[in-house]
């Protein structure tokens, strides 16, 4: 529920949610989506490449930090790899 609220609420609980993930209370996979939502809300590059919008029936990804290491980060949290050459990006 918290991830559906506005940025100020997400930021209020950010450290608690990340800590719960680090301690095995919450799934790292689930929390990766939350982390990216916060990053996109701040107009910062996302970490796991979970946030995109649809444009002409195709996903267009928000900026991603160090895209060359994206799939390494995704594997760690249990996300499927993305084919980097197929991704389309747009800024904020």
């Amino acid at each position: 529920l918290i991830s559906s609220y506005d940025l100020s609420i997400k930021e209020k609980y950010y450290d608690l949610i990340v800590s719960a993930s680090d301690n095995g209370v919450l799934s790292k996979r689930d929390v990766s989506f939350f982390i990216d939502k916060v990053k996109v809300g701040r107009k910062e590059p996302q970490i796991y490449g979970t946030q995109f919008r649809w444009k002409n029936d195709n996903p267009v990804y928000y900026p991603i930090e160090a895209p060359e290491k994206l799939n390494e980060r995704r594997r760690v949290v249990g996300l499927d790899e993305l084919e980097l050459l197929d991704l389309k990006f747009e800024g904020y």
Side-chain angles (χ1 to χ4, degrees), residues 26 29 58 84:
L26 294 174
R29 183 181 187 282
N58 294 302
L84 295 174

Side-chain angles (χ1 to χ4, degrees), residues 22-34:
D22 291 344
N23 292 321
V25 176
L26 294 174
S27 155
K28 288 188 180 301
R29 183 181 187 282
D30 292 341
V31 173
S32 67
F33 287 86
F34 176 76

Side-chain angles (χ1 to χ4, degrees), residues 3-90:
S3 70
S4 65
Y5 285 97
D6 66 31
L7 182 59
S8 66
I9 299 297
K10 290 178 191 135
E11 287 181 325
K12 179 177 180 179
Y13 294 102
Y14 184 85
D15 290 338
L16 179 66
I17 289 172
V18 171
S19 177
S21 174
D22 291 344
N23 292 321
V25 176
L26 294 174
S27 155
K28 288 188 180 301
R29 183 181 187 282
D30 292 341
V31 173
S32 67
F33 287 86
F34 176 76
I35 290 170
D36 279 355
K37 281 185 179 186
V38 171
K39 293 281 191 177
V40 168
R42 293 176 180 163
K43 297 193 180 343
E44 297 174 357
Q46 56 180 317
I47 305 297
Y48 301 102
T50 63
Q51 302 301 299
F52 57 88
R53 60 189 171 124
W54 290 98
K55 185 174 183 180
N56 300 325
D57 294 327
N58 294 302
V60 178
Y61 287 79
Y62 293 103
I64 297 173
E65 180 178 304
E68 68 279 1
K69 295 183 180 182
L70 173 64
N71 284 322
E72 287 176 45
R73 294 189 301 265
R74 289 177 66 90
R75 275 191 297 275
V76 168
V77 298
L79 293 170
D80 293 336
E81 291 187 12
L82 293 174
E83 186 58 53
L84 295 174
L85 296 176
D86 294 339
L87 299 183
K88 293 181 177 78
F89 294 95
E90 243 179 45

